[in-house]
């Protein structure tokens, strides 16, 4: 399989990566409008009035051989365990209490992490989409640096991981449309429409990607963070149809509409990549936007029903052993 002939690798100019279309991180130059709407949102909007159900994992979950068939576990926010072709992957693992550069401030978990890094073993690779704190966590990576033999990351992210203790030879950097064979699976770093940076002066100095995981028995697309983009169609044409499309539905807002899809846009992107079933992520764990905690999944349910898109909404830490026949409980309504 090769990238489409018209598809281009990422653009890197003057030390910065660029999106393929004009993209604003913020639609308004100042944040006054956003801050005013934050101040006006209803009390209790940030978290549900009930305890989020969490299935806690242990070292025993990693002792059996990874599945030949597609098997997935949503760890909350955008973190996942994915098994396919007898390979076990951790995708954007964030197990810390806060998605923040400091321990005393920043977005705090709405629910506990279902897993402790000390219990993780027998993982074949970690897959990273970009360097933001809610997708790339120092404490989690540092705990895994001697446990996981491979780390697949976008361009320029390798230095971060090496600084954190990951052996240099264990880190594989990929550009858009580059691919690597991992066991029986083909991993392809594909475009996303987003941005990067972990501080005040490193904006867009590292690349952001989505991922295709193509095995003999299933194909998976993981969007990472992305706003709406035409490249979803090219990805679907090149590597679809996908048995499972993992799409972000939360942390959207009119002020950053270019860089995060809302629920309806996630369904559209699902169609573009030729997805069969949609698993929503990037919601329910960290309060990163103004919308109510449960709004993304309510909007997704409505949009998916109107367009006949089957969705999988597992509880945090719950294994999905059969994506074709999994039945979601309406847990996000406290039932």
């Amino acid at each position: 399989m090769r990238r489409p002939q018209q598809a281009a690798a990422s653009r890197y100019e003057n030390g910065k990566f660029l999106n393929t279309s004009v993209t604003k991180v913020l639609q308004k130059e100042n944040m006054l409008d956003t801050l005013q709407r934050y101040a006006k949102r209803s009390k209790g909007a940030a978290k549900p009035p009930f305890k989020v159900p969490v299935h806690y994992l242990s070292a025993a979950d990693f002792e059996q051989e990874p599945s030949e068939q597609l098997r997935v576990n949503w760890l909350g926010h955008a973190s996942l365990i994915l098994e396919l072709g007898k390979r076990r992957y951790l995708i954007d693992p964030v197990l810390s209490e806060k998605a923040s550069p400091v321990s005393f401030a920043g977005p705090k978990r709405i629910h506990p992490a279902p897993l402790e890094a000390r219990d993780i073993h027998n993982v074949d690779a970690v897959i990273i989409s970009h360097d933001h704190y809610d997708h790339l966590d120092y404490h989690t990576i540092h705990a895994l640096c001697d446990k996981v033999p491979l780390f697949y990351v976008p361009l320029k992210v390798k230095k971060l991981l090496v600084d954190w203790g990951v052996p240099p030879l264990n880190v594989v950097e990929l550009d858009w449309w580059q691919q690597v064979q991992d066991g029986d699976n083909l991993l392809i770093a594909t475009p996303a429409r987003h941005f990067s940076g972990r501080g005040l002066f490193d904006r867009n100095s590292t690349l952001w990607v989505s991922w295709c995981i193509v095995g003999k028995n299933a194909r998976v697309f993981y969007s990472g963070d992305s706003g709406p983009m035409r490249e979803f169609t090219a990805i679907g044409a090149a590597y679809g149809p996908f048995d499972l499309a993992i799409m972000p539905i939360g942390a959207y807002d009119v002020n950053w509409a270019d860089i995060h899809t809302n629920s309806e846009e996630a369904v559209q992107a699902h169609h573009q990549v030729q997805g069969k079933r949609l698993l929503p992520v990037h919601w329910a764990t960290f309060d990163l936007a103004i919308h109510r905690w449960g709004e993304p999944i309510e909007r997704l349910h409505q949009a998916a029903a109107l367009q006949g898109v089957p969705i999988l909404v597992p509880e945090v830490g719950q294994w999905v052993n059969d994506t074709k026949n999994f039945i979601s409980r309406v847990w996000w309504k406290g039932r």
Side-chain angles (χ1 to χ4, degrees), residues 11-51:
R11 292 171 57 198
Y12 186 67
E13 298 177 4
N14 301 317
K16 303 292 182 181
F17 287 98
L18 303 172
N19 285 293
T20 57
S21 59
V22 176
T23 300
K24 288 186 177 181
V25 173
L26 293 175
Q27 299 298 316
K28 297 178 182 289
E29 291 296 329
N30 63 68
M31 288 290 289
L32 180 60
D33 168 73
T34 302
L35 293 173
Q36 288 174 336
R37 288 185 291 119
Y38 256 118
K40 291 178 181 179
R41 74 173 178 168
S42 61
K43 185 178 180 180
K47 58 183 181 180
F50 56 87
K51 189 176 180 179

Side-chain angles (χ1 to χ4, degrees), residues 20-21 176-177 191-193 228-236 272-273:
T20 57
S21 59
W176 288 350
W177 302 111
R193 188 185 183 198
M229 63 173 188
R230 60 179 179 269
E231 283 78 15
F232 283 134
T233 301
I235 293 167
Q272 287 177 264
V273 300

Side-chain angles (χ1 to χ4, degrees), residues 8-236:
S10 62
R11 292 171 57 198
Y12 186 67
E13 298 177 4
N14 301 317
K16 303 292 182 181
F17 287 98
L18 303 172
N19 285 293
T20 57
S21 59
V22 176
T23 300
K24 288 186 177 181
V25 173
L26 293 175
Q27 299 298 316
K28 297 178 182 289
E29 291 296 329
N30 63 68
M31 288 290 289
L32 180 60
D33 168 73
T34 302
L35 293 173
Q36 288 174 336
R37 288 185 291 119
Y38 256 118
K40 291 178 181 179
R41 74 173 178 168
S42 61
K43 185 178 180 180
K47 58 183 181 180
F50 56 87
K51 189 176 180 179
V52 175
V54 176
H55 298 243
Y56 291 98
L57 307 179
S58 69
D61 288 273
F62 297 88
E63 288 172 2
Q64 68 185 57
E65 184 180 43
S67 175
E68 178 74 36
Q69 307 299 319
L70 174 59
R71 187 171 183 249
V72 66
N73 191 309
W74 177 51
L75 302 175
H77 197 56
S79 301
L80 303 122
I81 305 171
L82 190 143
E83 296 179 3
L84 181 63
K86 295 186 178 181
R87 301 287 284 177
R88 181 177 289 129
Y89 304 110
L90 281 176
I91 299 177
D92 283 357
V94 176
L95 301 177
S96 292
E97 183 69 12
K98 294 182 179 178
S100 171
V102 294
S103 61
F104 55 84
K108 185 179 179 180
R109 283 183 172 275
I110 294 167
H111 61 78
L115 176 65
E116 294 189 25
R118 67 187 181 190
D119 290 328
I120 296 173
H121 59 287
N122 292 335
V123 168
D124 294 293
V126 168
I127 297 173
I128 300 296
S129 65
H130 64 296
D131 71 2
H132 285 161
Y133 288 92
D134 59 326
H135 291 256
L136 180 60
D137 174 45
Y138 164 76
H139 295 288
T140 303
I141 297 298
H142 184 67
L144 297 176
C145 64
D146 295 325
K147 292 184 171 186
V148 179
L150 284 168
F151 293 76
Y152 296 113
V153 304
L155 291 181
K156 304 289 185 179
V157 175
K158 179 177 180 175
K159 183 180 185 304
L160 265 177
L161 270 62
V162 171
D163 288 346
W164 295 350
V166 178
L169 293 178
N170 292 6
V171 185
V172 179
E173 284 189 329
L174 287 88
D175 195 359
W176 288 350
W177 302 111
Q178 284 189 328
Q179 60 188 41
V180 60
Q181 192 72 38
D182 182 87
D184 287 339
N185 301 326
L186 185 67
L187 309 185
I188 309 100
T190 41
R193 188 185 183 198
H194 200 55
F195 72 108
S196 66
R198 294 174 68 85
L200 296 176
F201 306 108
D202 63 346
R203 172 71 61 86
N204 295 345
S205 61
T206 65
L207 186 60
W208 48 96
V209 305
S210 57
W211 287 96
C212 302
I213 303 170
V214 178
K216 294 179 179 178
N217 298 311
R219 294 168 179 249
V220 179
F221 176 70
Y222 171 63
S223 176
D225 272 1
S226 181
M229 63 173 188
R230 60 179 179 269
E231 283 78 15
F232 283 134
T233 301
I235 293 167

